[in-house]
């Protein structure tokens, strides 16, 4: 049986969007890394009770706002 990829790739002009990343751990850092690599001018807000040191350093290089708190919708 063939394994299917249920993800649909899309292209976004992230410079015109506000991106939210919930979390400050390894997965959030990976998302931030790939986002800033392809769109260094992306406006990003990260919300988490803590952030890894590497995530903080990466966030300081981009247009990233960090909010140290739990996410509440």
């Amino acid at each position: 049986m063939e394994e299917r990829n249920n993800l649909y790739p899309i292209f976004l002009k992230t410079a015109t969007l506000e991106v939210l990343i919930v979390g400050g751990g390894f997965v959030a850092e990976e998302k931030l890394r790939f986002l800033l690599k392809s769109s260094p001018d992306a406006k990003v807000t990260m919300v988490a009770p803590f952030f890894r040191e590497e995530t903080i350093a990466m966030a300081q290089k981009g247009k990233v706002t960090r909010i140290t708190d739990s996410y509440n919708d």
Side-chain angles (χ1 to χ4, degrees):
M1 180 185 283
E2 183 179 326
E3 191 172 321
R4 291 183 1 174
N5 181 349
N6 292 325
L7 301 176
Y8 184 79
I10 61 172
F11 296 93
L12 301 171
K13 292 184 179 184
T14 56
T16 63
L17 301 173
E18 294 185 21
V19 178
L20 173 65
I21 298 176
V22 178
F26 288 106
V27 174
E29 183 179 318
E30 181 178 314
K31 291 177 182 182
L32 181 62
R33 177 180 298 112
F34 286 113
L35 180 62
L36 293 180
K37 181 179 179 182
S38 63
S39 302
D41 293 331
K43 292 172 264 176
V44 181
T45 300
M46 298 183 77
V47 179
F50 73 93
F51 296 93
R52 298 184 69 247
E53 290 297 322
E54 293 85 353
T55 306
I56 293 170
M58 190 181 319
Q60 291 173 338
K61 295 177 185 175
K63 295 179 182 177
V64 180
T65 301
R66 287 180 290 113
I67 299 174
T68 305
D69 198 355
S70 296
Y71 173 75
N72 296 302
D73 59 354

